[in-house]
Amino acid sequence: MAARVGDGDGTAASPASASRPQDGPGPGPVSGTAPGSASGSASASGFPSGSAPGSASAGSPLPVTLDAVRDAQKVLSGVSRTTVLEGSRHLSTLIGAPVHLKCENLQRTGSFKVRGAYVRIAGLSARERAAGVVAASAGNHAQGVALAASLLGVRSTVFMPEGAPLPKVAATREYGAEVRLHGQVVDESLRAAQEYARRTGAVFIHPFDHPDVIAGQGTVGLEILEQCPEVRTIVVGIGGGGLAAGIAVAVKALRPDVRIVGVQAAGAAAYPPSLKAGSPVTLEAPVTMADGIKVGRPGDVPFAIVERLVDEVRTVSEDQIAAALLLCLERAKLVVEPAGATPVAALLAAPASFEGPVVAVLSGGNVDPLLMQGVLRHGMAAAGRYLSLRLRLTDRPGALAALLEVLSAADANVLDVSHVRTDPRLGLTEAEVELHLETKGQEHCSAVRAALREAGYLVMP
C-alpha cells in the first residue's frame, strides 16, 4: 500500500501500510560490480536495461536492505562526517515536543550527497574505476561525486548547466572533477553525461536511482537512531527520493514505530501523483527555488522503497520554504539551502500534526549568495518583516515629510522611497509614493496600514 499523501495540514489521502518488511539479504554497497555498474550496460536508473524495479508488491524484497546500509556505514568510516544533531528551542516550543535538526548542511561538500556517491564509486571494479566516472548536477551531487572520486583516485567528469551558480562550479573543480558546462537546465546536462558514458565507457553515477547510492544515504538514518534513540518522527525533504528511501530502510528495520514524513516543494511535487498512480509519474515543468529537490520524476529504486516505508509525503509552498530558511538562519544560526529547509517548513505549516521527539533533516547548505539574498528578502516579506506600499498624497511642500512623520510614529523603518509626480494617471495636484518599509511582523504591518488610513492617506491595492 502506498505512502500517505498529505497536503501540508496533517491530513492524508489514504492510510499507510501497517506491515513492514523484515530486513534480509541484499546487494552490498561495495561488491566488485555493483548492480548496473558495468560500463555501457546501465540504464538511466542505474540498473541494467530492463531490470530496474518499479513499485514493489507488499511481499517482495526491497532493493536496499539494512545490511547494505550497515556495510555502507563501514565504507564511509573516516570519509563522511557524523553530523551533529542540534536542538531547536523555538521549534520545540511550537511543536510541544523536542525538535532536533540533523545538520547535513555541515557535511563534507555541504550536503549528504557525498555519502551515496562515495559508496557507489567504492563499489566499482578496478576496470570500471580505470574508465572513470561521469555525473550531471547543478550543485550538490556534482560536488559529492567530485570529492568521492578524488578520494578514491578515480577520474571524474561532471556536466553542469551553463547557468549553474559560479561558486558551485568552482567548488566542483576544486574537489577534482573536470567540469563541462552544457545546456540550460540539468536535464540537458544529464543527457550529455549519459551520452558521454556511452561514448567513453565511463560509469554514470546517478544522484539517487541506484541501491548503493541509497544505502550510502541511509547512513543518515543510522546516525539519527544513535543520536536520538527516543525519536518518534523523522521529517526529510524529497527530490528523487534517495535520501528518504535510505533513511526509511535503516530506520524502519530497527524502529518500525518511527514515523517518516517526506516533504516536497509544491511546485515540484512528483511523489504525490506517483504514489496515487502506483508508479513514477513525470512532471512536465517543475518550478521551485529549492533546486536540490527540483526533480521531475521519482527514481524507480527509491520509489519502490518510499511507497512501502515512508508514512506520508507532504508539500510546502515557496513562502513556507523561505520562512523556514530565514528561521534556520536567525534562530539556529545555520546556513541552509531551500531544499534543506523544507522539513522545517513542514513543521511550521502544521506543528500540531507531528509527534515528538522530531528530527528534521537539513539536507544541505550549498546556497548561492545571490539566491540567499533574494530568498531572505522574500522570507522576511512573507513573515511580515518587509512591507511595500503605494499611496497617493497631495503634491505640496511638506507632504512627504508629513507622511514620514506618520510612519515614524508607527515605528516603521523606511528603507526606500520613490516619489512620482508625472504619471498620467495622477491628478493635477496629486503625487504617488512607493514605500519599502522594515516592519516587525504581520500585526505591525496591519497597524502601519491602519495608521496611514487614519491619517487620511489612500493606500493603493
Side-chain angles (χ1 to χ4, degrees), residues 6 11 181 223 309 351 356:
T11 60
L181 300 179
E223 290 178 14
L309 300 184

Side-chain angles (χ1 to χ4, degrees), residues 278-293:
S279 61
V281 170
T282 301
L283 295 182
E284 290 302 322
V287 177
T288 177
M289 63 178 159
D291 57 347
I293 55 173

